[in-house]
Amino acid sequence: MKATNMKAIAIAAVAGFLTGFATVSAAFSAPAAAGGNPLAWLATKAAFEQFREDFWPEARRAGISRRVYARAMSGVTPDPDVLKRLERQPEFSTPIWTYIGKRVSDIRIAKGRELLKQHARLLGAIEHRYGVDRHVVLAIWGMETNYGGYTGKDGVVRALATLAFSGRKRKYGRTQLIGALKILQAGDITPERMKGSWAGAMGHTQFIPTTYLAYAQDFDGDGRRDIWNSVPDALASTANYLAKRGWKPGRPWGWEVRLPKRFDWRLIGRAAARSVARWEKLGIRPAAARRFYARDARAWLILPAGRKGPAFLVTDNFRAILAYNSSTAYALAVGHLADRIAGAGPFVQPWPVRERLLSRTERIELQKMLAREGLYRGAFRGHIGPKTREAVRRYQLSAGIPADGFINRELLEHLRRKR
Ligand code: CA
């Protein structure tokens, strides 16, 4: 093959690489797959080296020294696994009861109770300093890394450089890569020891670099904010983050509650927030023996599995947990694990485990039908967030069916019949 042809093929491969993930994926898997295209892989590596040079001015503008940049980025190659995980979109999402059941396991509750005793003094000091309930801090530790059991083995610089280089999270990757370089420049950790998840979440409580820069704490006083190896630093960092994101001392995240028989469905959701005392007047009661307190706290009702599942009254502290991870299932699991560690029992009302949930394809169909009704303006990716749920609630209210915002087969059929 003539040299010019080689070059043309390499350029074509690079161009494809930069415009679409399919090519990236093909190029990445090439060295491993028998009969793959080694030329495409070489082009990928060449493009990555180019990226490393092109990214330097951005790092320099952010105040990173050439020495830190060279040390962190030298020898770094793109990680094929990172982009594979990024693109993984399961057809079926996990139902909330399965998610909570797995994460708030008996073993995790028992371990949490053990650590509550073992770290009593530390947790007391953290609670005193930041005002965040120690059980919630423990629960986040348990949820994020099983109390430090798995903190991630990926090199954070490599993972973030890969994300910054290609794929649909390039902007995130670039921002976090700059953040990681800043951490390295501050000398809190060496590039070799800066480990984390494929998405760049690091240490005992899985901070991404920008969160680290804004909120990490040196609680053991050794001069370094070491969330990778120091439990005091990691837990204080978590408490500090929750406090800065609005955690209010002496208040719960929320309660499992029972709704009265006759209930006005317009009262579901944050738009209907009011004081705990007013909810009590409307007939809302704690489902378990645990009583209401902080009656002046603002709270709102959520029904994460619809009207056939348990209901919860949640406060602004629940929102602080959502700042950690914006999934209702996550925040509820944290709150529940915290309660269980503190000695409470399981949820009282059963989950609707027989409910047939929708596949991704069906969820996309649902979003398109809601859009046609003029109720939904988000993306058609089958991802169920607040926009979709709100659209569903508005649809239910207009159709005169109980507006619990829950998405199941019944709802899909209802919309299909309308067409
Ligand atoms: Ca420290």
Side-chain angles (χ1 to χ4, degrees):
M1 192 184 285
K2 277 192 277 182
T4 45
N5 278 351
M6 277 282 281
K7 204 174 169 194
I9 290 166
I11 288 169
V14 173
F17 184 91
L18 294 173
T19 49
F21 173 74
T23 321
V24 179
S25 170
F28 267 134
S29 55
N37 185 355
L39 200 56
W41 173 242
L42 282 177
T44 298
K45 291 222 296 197
F48 188 80
E49 268 156 42
Q50 188 60 49
F51 158 79
R52 200 156 55 196
E53 283 317 302
D54 293 346
F55 194 64
W56 158 241
E58 197 171 323
R60 186 180 53 199
R61 277 197 299 278
I64 305 300
S65 78
R66 180 79 208 181
R67 193 184 55 80
V68 167
Y69 190 77
R71 170 139 192 250
M73 298 286 275
S74 74
V76 172
T77 55
D79 184 346
D81 287 341
V82 167
L83 289 179
K84 266 187 226 150
R85 293 207 211 172
L86 177 65
E87 297 302 322
R88 198 176 291 159
Q89 285 190 341
E91 177 63 7
F92 288 93
S93 57
T94 313
I96 188 168
W97 47 89
T98 309
Y99 178 93
I100 293 178
K102 272 191 187 152
R103 280 162 184 80
V104 189
S105 65
D106 289 345
I107 293 174
R108 191 167 283 173
I109 295 163
K111 179 84 177 157
R113 287 175 180 168
E114 201 182 301
L115 290 166
L116 182 67
K117 284 186 208 147
Q118 192 186 321
H119 291 296
R121 279 183 61 178
L122 170 67
L123 290 163
I126 288 173
E127 199 172 72
H128 181 73
R129 169 91 170 267
Y130 302 98
V132 178
D133 183 330
R134 67 184 72 191
H135 307 97
V136 170
V137 173
L138 268 177
I140 286 183
W141 190 21
M143 284 286 290
E144 292 293 335
T145 61
N146 205 18
Y147 311 106
Y150 44 83
T151 54
K153 291 193 182 96
D154 285 318
V156 165
V157 169
R158 186 185 187 204
L160 292 174
T162 305
L163 291 177
F165 169 54
S166 174
R168 64 179 166 84
K169 285 191 90 171
R170 248 183 287 188
K171 198 170 162 231
Y172 167 89
R174 292 176 96 92
T175 308
Q176 297 306 324
L177 181 57
I178 294 285
L181 292 166
K182 284 183 178 170
I183 296 168
L184 292 171
Q185 183 151 295
D188 285 300
I189 191 95
T190 62
E192 297 74 33
R193 299 184 74 195
M194 190 188 233
K195 301 285 186 200
S197 77
W198 67 272
M202 312 177 296
H204 281 270
T205 49
Q206 299 286 281
F207 272 23
I208 57 172
T210 49
T211 306
Y212 176 99
L213 289 167
Y215 303 103
Q217 301 285 293
D218 170 25
F219 202 71
D220 61 16
D222 71 348
R224 292 184 309 122
R225 303 187 289 171
D226 186 357
I227 59 168
W228 298 268
N229 306 295
S230 162
V231 170
D233 286 8
L235 299 189
S237 299
T238 292
N240 183 48
Y241 184 62
L242 290 175
K244 296 273 162 60
R245 298 306 293 262
W247 183 277
K248 294 198 181 69
R251 293 190 170 177
W253 62 268
W255 297 268
E256 187 195 349
V257 293
R258 280 191 200 284
L259 306 183
K261 278 249 159 54
R262 276 154 63 144
F263 183 73
D264 179 353
W265 291 98
R266 284 169 303 184
L267 295 175
I268 301 287
R270 203 155 77 90
R274 60 202 66 203
S275 72
V276 173
R278 287 198 47 205
W279 284 118
E280 231 175 350
K281 282 202 188 106
L282 287 167
I284 306 294
R285 297 284 177 269
R290 208 168 144 233
R291 285 161 192 244
F292 282 145
Y293 59 99
R295 283 184 171 71
D296 60 329
R298 210 170 69 104
W300 57 99
L301 286 168
I302 60 168
L303 270 71
R307 66 184 189 280
K308 294 172 199 158
F312 301 91
L313 193 58
V314 299
T315 71
D316 282 321
N317 285 351
F318 188 76
R319 294 248 302 159
I321 300 170
L322 282 172
Y324 223 100
N325 177 336
S326 66
S327 131
T328 300
Y330 174 85
L332 204 53
V334 166
H336 187 49
L337 179 57
D339 288 350
R340 299 298 301 276
I341 291 171
F347 292 136
V348 176
Q349 300 158 106
W351 293 103
V353 292
R354 289 173 170 279
E355 195 81 72
R356 158 93 161 74
L357 301 183
L358 302 188
S359 69
R360 200 169 89 85
T361 314
E362 289 168 331
R363 296 197 299 273
I364 291 169
E365 185 193 343
L366 177 92
Q367 286 173 331
K368 286 183 175 163
M369 288 193 288
L370 289 168
R372 242 191 324 265
E373 297 286 316
L375 299 168
Y376 177 73
R377 277 195 209 135
F380 303 125
R381 294 186 54 217
H383 175 77
I384 304 302
K387 276 186 200 161
T388 311
R389 264 191 219 104
E390 192 42 41
V392 167
R393 275 182 29 80
R394 282 168 58 198
Y395 176 74
Q396 290 171 322
L397 283 171
S398 71
I401 48 183
D404 58 7
F406 189 55
I407 290 157
N408 56 8
R409 175 142 287 270
E410 209 178 316
L411 177 80
L412 183 73
E413 298 293 345
H414 200 281
L415 266 154
R416 276 178 180 166
R417 276 199 300 276
K418 259 204 96 181
R419 210 160 22 169

